[in-house]
C-alpha cells in the first residue's frame, strides 16, 4: 500500500468546521468547549438567507438581460439610445398621439370670433 | 489532568514516531488519547493539530474518529467510553474501513459563469416584484447547476470511491463532497482533481472517515456475512 502524504494544516483548518459535529459520540463523556471555531452551519444559514447575495444575483441577471436586449436592438441603432430601445418603444406612440389631436381642435375654434 | 479522546483503533495499531497520542487498550481495541490540563478550552490551532495527528495514524490502520473535543477524566473512564460504544459494532466499523480514508473535494465555481448558465437555462423575466423569492429561485438554480457540473467533473472520482457524501457548503457556487476512497487511490484522485480547469479545486485528506461512520446500517442489510 502506498503511504499517503499527511495533509497540510491549511486544508485541515478549512474542513474543521464540517467535521466538528461528526465522529462517534459517547453519551457519558463531556465535550470540552471549542474557542475560536465558527460552526459552519451558522455561516450557511447566514449566506442562504443573505438578502445581499440575492440582490447581487438579481442585478447580474438584469445586466445579462440588458446585454441580450442590447444585442437584439443593435440593427435599428438609429433610433437613439443603445440598449434601451426596448424600453422606449411603447412610450413613444403614447406621447405622439395626443400631440396630433390637440392642435386640430384649436384650429377649429379660432376663426369663429 | 484529564484526557482528550480522539479515536478508536485496533490494539495492534502502531502509532507513528513523534505522535502526540498514546493508546489505552481494551481487549483487541484501543482508544487514542492525549493528556489535557483541566479547565482549558480547545483552540482552533489545537483542534487542527489534533486532527492532523489523527490523520497521521491512517496509514497504520483504520481509525474511528470520536467527536472533536471529547474528554474523559481518566483511563478507566476512557475504557468505559469504548465499552459504551459497543465493541462488536466498533470491530465491524474498523473492518469496513480497513484500507479506506475520507477525502474532501471542494470545487469553487466562478459566480459569473454560474449566473450566465442559469440565465441561459430559463427565461428571466425580471418582472417579479418579490425580490427575495426571485433571488432564492436564482440561488436554487445555481446550486442545481453546480451540482450537475460537479457530478460530471467528479464522475471518475465517484467511480473509484466506495461512498460519497454531499457536505454543506458555505456558498451557492461551492460544491463540497466527501469521498470514501481506498488509501492507495488518494494520490491519483488528488492529481486528477488538480488537473481540473475552469474551477478552483482543492482536496483535503486523507482524513478518518468522519462522514461514513454509519456504514453498518448502509451495507450490512443487503449482503452481510453475519446476516445482520
Amino acid at each position: 500500500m502506498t503511504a499517503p502524504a499527511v495533509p497540510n494544516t491549511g486544508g485541515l483548518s478549512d474542513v474543521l468546521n464540517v467535521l466538528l459535529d461528526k465522529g462517534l459520540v459517547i453519551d457519558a463523556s463531556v465535550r470540552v468547549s471549542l474557542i475560536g471555531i465558527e460552526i459552519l452551519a451558522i455561516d450557511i444559514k447566514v449566506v442562504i438567507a443573505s438578502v445581499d447575495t440575492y440582490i447581487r444575483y438579481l442585478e447580474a441577471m438584469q445586466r445579462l438581460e440588458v446585454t441580450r436586449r442590447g444585442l437584439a436592438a443593435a440593427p435599428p441603432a438609429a433610433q437613439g439610445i443603445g440598449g434601451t430601445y426596448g424600453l422606449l418603444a411603447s412610450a413613444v406612440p403614447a406621447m405622439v398621439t395626443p400631440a396630433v389631436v390637440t392642435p386640430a381642435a384649436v384650429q377649429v375654434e379660432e376663426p369663429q370670433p | 489532568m484529564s484526557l482528550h479522546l480522539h479515536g478508536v483503533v485496533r490494539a495492534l495499531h502502531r502509532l507513528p514516531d513523534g505522535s502526540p497520542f498514546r493508546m489505552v487498550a481494551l481487549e483487541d481495541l484501543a482508544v487514542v488519547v492525549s493528556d489535557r490540563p483541566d479547565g482549558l478550552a480547545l483552540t482552533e490551532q489545537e483542534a487542527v493539530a489534533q486532527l492532523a495527528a489523527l490523520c497521521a495514524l491512517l496509514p497504520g490502520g483504520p481509525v474511528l474518529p470520536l467527536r472533536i473535543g471529547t474528554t474523559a477524566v481518566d483511563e478507566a473512564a476512557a475504557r468505559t467510553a469504548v465499552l459504551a460504544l459497543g465493541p462488536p459494532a466498533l470491530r465491524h466499523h474498523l473492518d469496513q474501513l480497513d484500507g479506506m480514508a475520507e477525502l474532501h473535494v471542494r470545487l469553487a465555481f466562478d459566480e459569473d459563469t454560474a449566473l450566465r448558465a442559469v440565465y441561459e437555462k430559463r427565461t428571466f423575466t425580471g418582472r417579479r416584484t418579490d425580490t427575495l423569492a426571485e433571488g432564492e429561485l436564482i440561488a436554487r438554480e445555481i446550486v442545481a447547476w453546480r451540482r450537475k457540473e460537479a457530478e460530471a467533473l467528479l464522475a471518475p472520482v465517484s467511480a473509484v470511491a466506495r461512498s460519497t457524501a454531499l457536505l454543506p457548503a458555505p456558498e451557492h457556487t461551492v460544491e463540497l463532497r466527501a469521498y470514501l476512497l481506498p488509501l492507495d487511490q488518494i494520490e491519483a484522485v488528488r492529481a486528477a482533481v488538480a488537473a481540473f480547469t475552469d474551477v478552483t479545486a482543492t482536496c483535503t485528506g486523507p482524513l478518518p472517515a468522519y462522514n461514513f461512520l454509519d456504514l453498518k446500517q448502509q451495507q450490512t442489510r443487503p449482503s452481510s456475512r453475519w446476516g445482520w
Side-chain angles (χ1 to χ4, degrees), chain B:
Chain B
M1 191 69 83
S2 59
L3 298 172
H4 269 303
L5 308 185
H6 304 286
V8 177
V9 296
R10 290 173 178 147
L12 293 173
H13 198 115
R14 290 192 60 188
L15 294 179
D17 294 337
S19 176
F21 302 145
R22 59 194 167 86
M23 288 166 39
V24 176
L26 179 76
E27 299 171 18
D28 57 338
L29 301 172
V31 57
V32 177
V33 304
S34 61
D35 293 319
R36 161 181 177 263
D38 286 324
L40 281 187
L42 192 63
T43 65
E44 182 170 355
Q45 288 79 11
E46 287 167 330
V48 168
Q50 287 183 356
L51 188 56
L54 199 61
C55 292
L57 302 188
L58 277 170
V63 177
L64 302 178
L66 292 168
R67 195 162 284 201
I68 293 166
T70 300
T71 62
V73 288
D74 54 22
E75 291 193 5
R79 287 193 180 90
T80 309
V82 175
L83 283 174
L85 286 168
L90 293 174
R91 281 182 204 111
H92 180 75
H93 272 60
L94 286 167
D95 288 345
Q96 288 283 319
L97 295 172
D98 202 357
M100 310 295 287
E102 182 169 316
L103 185 76
H104 288 198
V105 180
R106 182 182 188 276
L107 300 180
F109 292 94
D110 176 56
E111 187 174 288
D112 287 340
T113 309
L115 284 164
R116 216 169 295 129
V118 169
Y119 177 79
E120 296 298 332
K121 198 180 136 200
R122 60 182 281 276
T123 312
F124 175 72
T125 60
R127 286 177 196 147
R128 289 194 189 199
T129 50
D130 190 347
T131 307
L132 273 185
E134 186 85 10
E136 225 163 19
L137 183 67
I138 297 168
R140 271 203 302 275
E141 295 276 351
I142 289 175
V143 171
W145 173 83
R146 98 170 183 227
R147 189 136 292 164
K148 211 174 147 196
E149 291 285 304
E151 201 68 56
L153 275 173
L154 295 169
V157 182
S158 302
V160 291
R162 189 201 277 176
S163 197
T164 308
L166 298 175
L167 303 179
E171 287 170 51
H172 300 120
T173 48
V174 173
E175 178 85 354
L176 190 57
R177 290 179 180 216
Y179 286 100
L180 186 63
L181 293 163
L183 273 167
D184 56 7
Q185 294 286 330
I186 298 260
E187 290 307 321
V189 168
R190 253 192 224 273
V193 171
F196 288 166
T197 51
D198 301 331
V199 64
T200 310
T202 48
C203 287
T204 307
L207 299 156
Y210 278 94
N211 287 286
F212 304 100
L213 292 171
D214 57 346
L215 284 175
K216 188 180 72 172
Q217 286 79 17
Q218 284 177 8
Q219 299 201 347
T220 51
R221 270 184 218 142
S223 58
S224 168
R225 52 197 165 125
W226 292 282
W228 290 354

Side-chain angles (χ1 to χ4, degrees), chain A residues 16-17 34-38, chain B residues 42-45:
Chain A
L16 182 65
N17 279 331
L34 302 155
I35 54 173
I37 302 171
E38 294 172 21
Chain B
L42 192 63
T43 65
E44 182 170 355
Q45 288 79 11

Side-chain angles (χ1 to χ4, degrees), chain A residues 5 7 12-13 21-26 29-36 44 47-48 54 56-58 60-61 65 68, chain B residues 36 40-42 44 52 65 67-71 81 111 115 119 131-132 134-136 168-170 172 205-207 211:
Chain A
L12 285 183
S13 177
D21 64 343
K22 307 278 178 172
L24 298 173
V25 180
I26 304 162
S29 76
V30 178
R31 222 186 145 197
V32 68
S33 62
L34 302 155
I35 54 173
I44 290 163
V47 169
I48 300 304
Y54 291 159
R56 196 172 74 235
Y57 290 166
L58 280 169
M61 284 292 168
E65 180 72 4
R68 188 184 68 81
Chain B
R36 161 181 177 263
L40 281 187
L42 192 63
E44 182 170 355
R67 195 162 284 201
I68 293 166
T70 300
T71 62
E111 187 174 288
L115 284 164
Y119 177 79
T131 307
L132 273 185
E134 186 85 10
E136 225 163 19
H172 300 120
L207 299 156
N211 287 286

Side-chain angles (χ1 to χ4, degrees), chain A residues 58-81:
Chain A
L58 280 169
E59 283 174 352
M61 284 292 168
Q62 278 158 0
R63 274 199 303 278
L64 287 165
E65 180 72 4
V66 166
T67 308
R68 188 184 68 81
R69 288 191 181 197
L71 290 174
Q79 290 288 334
I81 309 166

